[in-house]
Amino acid sequence: MAAEFGRLRKGAVNTTVAAVVVAALAASQAPGVTTDDAGRRVTTGTQPSVDTPAEDSATGNSPYYTDLPPLNSPNPSPSPTTPVTPVASEAGIPATVLDAYKKAATALQEAKPGCNLEWQLLAAIGKVESGQARGGRVDANGTTLTPILGPQLNGNGFASISDTDNGAYDGDSAYDRAVGPMQFIPSTWEWAGRDGNGDGKRDPNNVYDAALAAGHYLCRFGWDLSTQGDLSSAILSYNNSQDYLNLVLRWLEYYRKGTHEIPDGTGTLPSDRSDDNAGASPSPTPTPPGTPATPSTPSKPGGNNGSTSPKPTPPGTTPPSTPPSTPTPTDTVDHLEDAGTAKLTAMAGDTFTEKISARAETEAGKGVAKVRVRFTIVGQTDATFTGGEKYAATVTNSAGEAVAPALQAGDDTGEFVVRATLVGRSIPGLDYTATVTERAADTLTRTSDTALTCTPGGEFADQVEVKATYKGAVADKVAATATLIKSADDPTENDKGPYFKDADGKVVRTLTGLTTDANGLLKLPKLYADDTTGTFLLRINTAGGATLTVELKVATAETSPAPTPSESEPASPSASASPSA
């Protein structure tokens, strides 16, 4: 009976016990729930925003399973010989699916440690979205045995998202559908998809790929999921519904208490969906004492996300007509235009001063407000948008312009492309070329004013250290060379005088591959002198044109003249002198 009480149909509670359970769970797990002076519950946490477009979420706000966790605590370690009961099956997670969640969480701990993503959160979302990939119906590589597809997002009871992938992911060239165990819509998967099993493909129907993508999606924007506010924001960004948030939090808490692995394909398929508005269900007949509970009949594989064919209309029944849909602002966009973006150039490691701006226009050239434009960095580059992501989505203003966040250059130099696309429509995008130049310095100075001197055949007591700056700021990781030159007018390498030594102790008078450190400092190796005396020059050059010439002197040590006897000791008494009487 516990599993039956654990089900909730939207808008209806099956039993009084279930109502009490829901209330208790909501009170203990809803985000930001406090009480006022009268003891009433007050929700102060993150609320879903009515302004967030469905196409800018992971799932397009598609339907989800609303089954609640079982009333009893999960069994973390069932005996291998113990038969899998319906409740144990519902509490457990199929082996391959569980492995995918744990590997994704481990990968995120390395890639984004500040996110603090738990695998239990991925399990909670996977349970609500697809019933753990339809009870673990996946092959050995983690790919679902049949595609998991949500309903057509055609605006008839759901969000309206016109096709964005020509049916490549969802097989639908008219409208988008949520795809796979984690239910990504194609436009989101296009930039959020990951290769989690290392096969070189990004497949939304592969649980390893989907789990890793979900982890990165939840960890974007620098969220720390160990805090309730960021956790709620991340979950709401996945599916913008307060009911969805509360349900995921319940499963999260349930899995945190412990769960267990079950064989692939033996998981219980959920039966209740968030879009099921059939009304209240009759209360279940109590089971007589001593009678084993009868498990509910699993839904047909796919449930919410399985079969994509509509239910047949009974003979003689007129199918409901689809009301005409009002064009959305997105529907009116004909093309994207550049909105005066200046040349995009930055030094490696710096922030681009110019931002990309695109304008959504109608066929007549009028700007369209309140539509989403996604900016995606493509090509081989480590450049990112502010926050460390390769994508960003912004809403157009009243003039139809969308401005991307600032670009942050990495260490890779050269050109890369930022592509602007309209979210929710398949229209040609805009490509912007950005260039990253090598790090540079415009000034070099010595960190010490000590004279650099040495005797022939000896070694200089002080090592040369310089500091590089660019426009007054520290110039870190700047490439430099150091050469012992013949003269101020002849920068060719000298063949005599001071020198460096290589790893084998051989004479070297030109050093390449030098780089300033994080503080802009560069300390050269120790210098030695041959038998040639005189004044010599060391020239240091950096990328960007900074140059410094350092003077080195090699001279024989001066010796002091020997002191005269009169200066060093008193005169001896005269030989003729006689002692006094």
Side-chain angles (χ1 to χ4, degrees), residues 511-525:
L511 298 177
T512 59
L514 303 174
T515 306
T516 60
D517 66 12
N519 298 314
L521 298 176
L522 173 62
K523 192 170 188 177
L524 299 183

Side-chain angles (χ1 to χ4, degrees), residues 311-358:
K311 295 180 179 180
T313 303
T317 303
T318 303
S321 59
T322 302
S325 58
T326 302
T328 65
T330 302
D331 293 330
T332 66
V333 177
D334 177 74
H335 59 274
L336 294 176
E337 288 285 346
D338 175 37
T341 303
K343 186 177 181 180
L344 298 166
T345 303
M347 191 185 301
D350 288 353
T351 300
F352 284 75
T353 56
E354 299 295 337
K355 293 183 179 181
I356 297 172
S357 181

